């Protein structure tokens, strides 16, 4: 996801991982930040920040993976069960449900493009 922070005057790249942090994730978010800096950022903006949200992380692995990277990057972990009240969980779509909905939307868009427009 790409956001623009008005107060900081910079883009913020946010990536959400539904798994624990892996060392290669640092390079991936750094790649995205570099792309935004090169193609979207103007001289009036501050450098792009990267935020990687993972299901879990090992502190030592995270520190070594980020060592030497000069872009401002942050890795944080999350736990969905603490953020969502128990009574809401049954009403939220699962990852599989979101994937199936996305596939359906893509198929509809493909059908519409073959017809020469939207319906």
């Amino acid at each position: 996801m790409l956001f623009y922070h008005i107060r900081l005057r910079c883009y913020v790249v946010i990536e959400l991982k539904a798994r624990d942090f892996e060392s290669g994730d640092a390079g991936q978010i750094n790649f995205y930040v570099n792309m935004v800096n090169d193609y979207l950022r103007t001289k009036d903006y501050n450098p792009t920040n990267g935020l990687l949200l993972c299901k879990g992380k090992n502190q030592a692995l995270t520190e070594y993976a980020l060592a030497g990277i000069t872009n401002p990057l942050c890795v944080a972990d999350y736990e969905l069960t603490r953020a969502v009240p128990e009574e809401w969980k049954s009403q939220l779509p699962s990852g599989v449900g979101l994937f199936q909905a996305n596939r359906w939307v893509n198929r509809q868009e493909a059908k519409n493009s073959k017809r020469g427009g939207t319906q």
Side-chain angles (χ1 to χ4, degrees):
M1 296 179 280
L2 180 63
F3 295 92
Y4 185 78
H5 194 293
I6 295 170
R7 279 183 127 174
L8 296 178
R9 297 181 49 95
C10 70
Y11 284 106
V12 180
V13 175
I14 301 175
E15 185 172 0
L16 178 64
K17 297 286 188 185
R19 58 168 171 72
D20 288 352
F21 176 78
E22 296 175 3
S23 60
D25 297 337
Q28 186 175 26
I29 190 80
N30 190 52
F31 172 82
Y32 297 149
V33 168
N34 284 331
M35 293 290 287
V36 171
N37 279 336
D38 285 349
Y39 289 99
L40 298 177
R41 183 178 153 224
T42 68
K43 64 179 177 146
D44 300 324
Y45 297 168
N46 289 315
T48 302
N49 288 283
L51 173 59
L52 181 58
L53 300 171
C54 298
K55 200 169 191 179
K57 68 175 183 170
N58 174 291
Q59 190 64 33
L61 175 67
T62 304
E63 288 179 19
Y64 279 109
L66 293 175
I69 293 178
T70 58
N71 286 321
L73 301 179
C74 175
V75 177
D77 53 358
Y78 67 90
E79 189 171 333
L80 185 60
T81 56
R82 289 186 185 170
V84 178
E86 201 61 44
E87 60 271 12
W88 293 4
K89 287 182 185 176
S90 64
Q91 299 173 13
L92 295 173
S94 67
V96 172
L98 291 172
F99 175 76
Q100 290 171 338
N102 186 44
R103 285 182 55 201
W104 181 84
V105 168
N106 289 339
R107 284 195 304 269
Q108 297 304 313
E109 288 175 348
K111 286 179 186 177
N112 289 337
S113 67
K114 287 180 183 175
R115 292 183 186 140
T118 59
Q119 300 210 356

